[in-house]
Amino acid sequence: MAAGNTFGATVLSSYGGFWISIAITFIPGGFGIIGALEEADSGSPIMFYNAFGLYLMAWFIFTFMIMLCTVKSTVAFFSLFFVVDIAILLIALSYFFPTAQELPNEGLMKAGGLLAFLGAFLAWYNAFAGIADNSNSFFVVPVVHFPWSEKGRSARLRKTASGAA
């Protein structure tokens, strides 16, 4: 925020709060959220699953809005939020559609987990792409700018100008 990067500050603080809230929810003996909802539903986890699925849907919406803010940046950055958004959606759906044994849907959970793993890789890729430049690295990783982005347009104009010369 101090450097003027409102997007970065918003995203990092929001997802930091997300992970803190996940820890608060799932720490055994902590806040007792899961136990309280199961007790309210006669020992069934379905009330917790519905509540947690709604919670994740709110994060799906937030991530979608953040993803829309990356449309003018790079393909790598947009891909990160797209993959994370779909991962959150699949994990939320796994809670909305539990199995007959009252467990989250394993197939949806695994698919969401794999996409979350891919999202983690993309996050590290974007982090490295953001810090590795000609001043501190022997190579710069490609990020591919969208053609409608400012850098994409200027690259097209340079290419057109060099072709005309």
Side-chain angles (χ1 to χ4, degrees), residues 45-62:
I46 299 300
M47 185 182 286
F48 168 72
Y49 291 171
N50 288 333
F52 194 65
L54 284 173
Y55 175 75
L56 290 174
M57 289 305 289
W59 280 98
F60 166 74
I61 293 167
F62 174 78

Side-chain angles (χ1 to χ4, degrees), residues 15 18 53 55-70 77-93 108 111-120 122:
Y15 286 113
F18 169 77
Y55 175 75
L56 290 174
M57 289 305 289
W59 280 98
F60 166 74
I61 293 167
F62 174 78
T63 305
F64 183 79
M65 292 187 313
I66 293 299
M67 180 189 68
L68 291 178
C69 295
T70 65
F77 204 46
F78 175 83
S79 297
L80 164 62
F81 288 99
F82 177 77
V83 167
V84 168
D85 201 29
I86 301 303
I88 292 171
L89 176 63
L90 290 172
I91 294 169
L93 291 174
L108 290 170
L114 286 171
L115 284 175
F117 186 77
L118 177 60
L122 288 168

